Every structure is written in structure tokens, then in C-alpha cells.
């Protein structure tokens, strides 16, 4: 009888310790998620980056406790005419690690796009850079250069789903 009480008290103590550990882990995960969300949002391009009236953006990150990812986009004015570059990418993983890799790749592609001859060259340079970034080996990206004067869209994809073109009549076309 006394042995059963000792065992019961020990089980109660262990259960309480597990409960406390579980709560600390939950709080730690919540803090990491909060920081990752703030980091992800801070790394999105500023609205002033592209001349007014050139692009409209609606970014909706994944929701849920485990869905802070490395998905990203970028819109940049390109050198030489009435042109913009639009990129969308994803880094495999969740949390701060994925958000950090996302920021490195987005920044590198933003800089590369401004001097590249086209989207394929920009992605080629980004691919070389990605080889030295831990966590970038499974990243995907699609980038598009839009020339408003020539009325052309040039794009390239590195494992990412293709861009979608929405025509004035509402038709949707995967490029």
C-alpha cells in the first residue's frame, strides 16, 4: 500500500514535470514563430521600391502554428526602360532558418535582376550563390521580366510552378 502511494507520487511528479516542460516548449515555439513572422514580413520588399502604379501586390502568408515558411516575392524596377522584375520563391522548411535563407536568396536575386540581361541569367547567378547558402539546396523560384514598352514578358523558373498570365478578358494562362 505504501509502495503504491510512493509510485503514485512519483508518477504525479513526473507528469507534472512533463507538463511544465511541454508548456516551456510551447512558449518557446510560439516565440520563435512570432520572431520568424516578423522577420519574414520585414524582408518583404518596400512599396516604394517600384514606381507608383507599376504593380499591385497582395501577400498572404500561410496561417497556423507550423506554417511560418520561406515563401517570398519581390518586385523591382529594372535598368533600361519601362521594365520591372517580379520573382516568387520558396525555401523548404519552417521557422527562423527558412526565413533567414529566404531573405538571403530574395536579396541576392533582387540585386542580380537589376544587372542581368534576362531572367535566365539572373537565376543562373542565383543558383551559383545558392550553392554556398546552407538550407538553399531545395529552394525554388520563378522570375519574370516585364517590359511595358515592348509589351513582352520574359520568364525563367528553377523548380517553381510557372507564372500565370491573366488576360484582360479573365482567361488564365500558365506560361
Amino acid at each position: 500500500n505504501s509502495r503504491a502511494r510512493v509510485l503514485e507520487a512519483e508518477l504525479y511528479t513526473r507528469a507534472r514535470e512533463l507538463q511544465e516542460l511541454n508548456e516551456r516548449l510551447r512558449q518557446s515555439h510560439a516565440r520563435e514563430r512570432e520572431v520568424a513572422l516578423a522577420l519574414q514580413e520585414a524582408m518583404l520588399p518596400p512599396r516604394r521600391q517600384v514606381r507608383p502604379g507599376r504593380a499591385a501586390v497582395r501577400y498572404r502568408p500561410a496561417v497556423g502554428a507550423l506554417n511560418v515558411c520561406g515563401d517570398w516575392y519581390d518586385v523591382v524596377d529594372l535598368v533600361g526602360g519601362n521594365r520591372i522584375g517580379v520573382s516568387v520563391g520558396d525555401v523548404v522548411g519552417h521557422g527562423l532558418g527558412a526565413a533567414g535563407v529566404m531573405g538571403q536568396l530574395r536579396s541576392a536575386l533582387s540585386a542580380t535582376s537589376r544587372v542581368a540581361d534576362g531572367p535566365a541569367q539572373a537565376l543562373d547567378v542565383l543558383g551559383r550563390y545558392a550553392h554556398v547558402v546552407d538550407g538553399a539546396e531545395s529552394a525554388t523560384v520563378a522570375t519574370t521580366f516585364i517590359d511595358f514598352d515592348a509589351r513582352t514578358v520574359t520568364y525563367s523558373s528553377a523548380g517553381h510552378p510557372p507564372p500565370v498570365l491573366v488576360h484582360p478578358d479573365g482567361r488564365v494562362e500558365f506560361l
Side-chain angles (χ1 to χ4, degrees), residues 152-168:
T152 60
V153 174
T154 310
Y155 66 94
S156 189
S157 177
H160 204 73
V164 175
L165 178 63
V166 180
H167 293 272

Side-chain angles (χ1 to χ4, degrees), residues 13-167:
T13 301
R14 298 283 183 233
R16 185 112 169 110
E17 288 171 355
L18 281 173
Q19 216 173 17
E20 289 172 7
L21 179 60
N22 205 13
E23 179 59 22
R24 285 196 308 267
L25 286 172
R26 189 192 65 70
Q27 289 173 356
S28 175
H29 179 73
R31 278 191 304 274
E32 180 180 331
R33 181 178 186 282
E34 196 174 294
V35 169
L37 278 171
L39 179 62
Q40 188 176 21
E41 190 167 321
M43 285 191 279
L44 293 176
R47 293 181 185 214
R48 67 184 181 284
Q49 190 167 337
V50 176
R51 285 176 279 190
R54 304 284 304 271
V57 174
R58 181 176 181 200
Y59 178 71
R60 297 180 65 189
V63 294
L66 298 176
N67 290 324
V68 178
C69 314
D71 57 320
W72 56 275
Y73 76 92
D74 198 11
V75 181
V76 297
D77 274 321
L78 299 176
V79 176
N82 191 14
R83 305 180 322 136
I84 64 170
V86 179
S87 301
V88 176
D90 192 17
V91 173
V92 174
H94 300 286
L96 289 174
V101 172
M102 174 270 294
Q104 291 178 72
L105 295 180
R106 185 185 89 49
S107 296
L109 185 56
S110 180
T112 301
S113 293
R114 287 178 165 89
V115 296
D117 290 332
Q121 184 186 36
L123 289 186
D124 182 54
V125 173
L126 180 67
R128 293 171 196 217
Y129 174 70
H131 284 296
V132 300
V133 176
D134 288 339
E137 54 277 340
S138 296
T140 64
V141 63
T143 190
T144 305
F145 286 19
I146 302 167
D147 187 322
F148 294 100
D149 293 335
R151 299 179 58 95
T152 60
V153 174
T154 310
Y155 66 94
S156 189
S157 177
H160 204 73
V164 175
L165 178 63
V166 180
H167 293 272

